[in-house]
Amino acid sequence: MHETLHWQKSSFSADTDTNCLEIAATPTTLHLRESDTPTTILTPAPTALNALLTAVRHTPAPGPTV
């Protein structure tokens, strides 16, 4: 990737730099990465990203562990 991406941490992430999803946008593409592995960048196709976001939106959050 030759362009400089400007990463934004998920608003649901903790204040630490680990365990958070980051997103960067270019004029035609969204890029995703996990803060634990910042060199691994996913660039999903729009239909794949839509499917992922739809699945996440409709998946209940896990309950507390005992």
Side-chain angles (χ1 to χ4, degrees):
M1 209 163 274
H2 298 287
E3 60 195 309
T4 301
L5 297 175
H6 300 284
W7 294 97
Q8 180 177 343
K9 190 187 308 187
S10 167
S11 61
F12 290 103
S13 299
D15 290 334
T16 63
D17 287 334
T18 59
N19 296 324
C20 59
L21 178 68
E22 298 174 331
I23 189 167
T26 60
T28 60
T29 311
L30 290 175
H31 308 277
L32 306 170
R33 73 179 183 184
E34 171 64 40
S35 60
D36 288 344
T37 53
T39 58
T40 302
I41 299 171
L42 303 176
T43 306
T47 53
L49 181 57
N50 184 48
L52 171 66
L53 294 175
T54 299
V56 168
R57 181 178 27 198
H58 295 295
T59 302
T65 56
V66 179

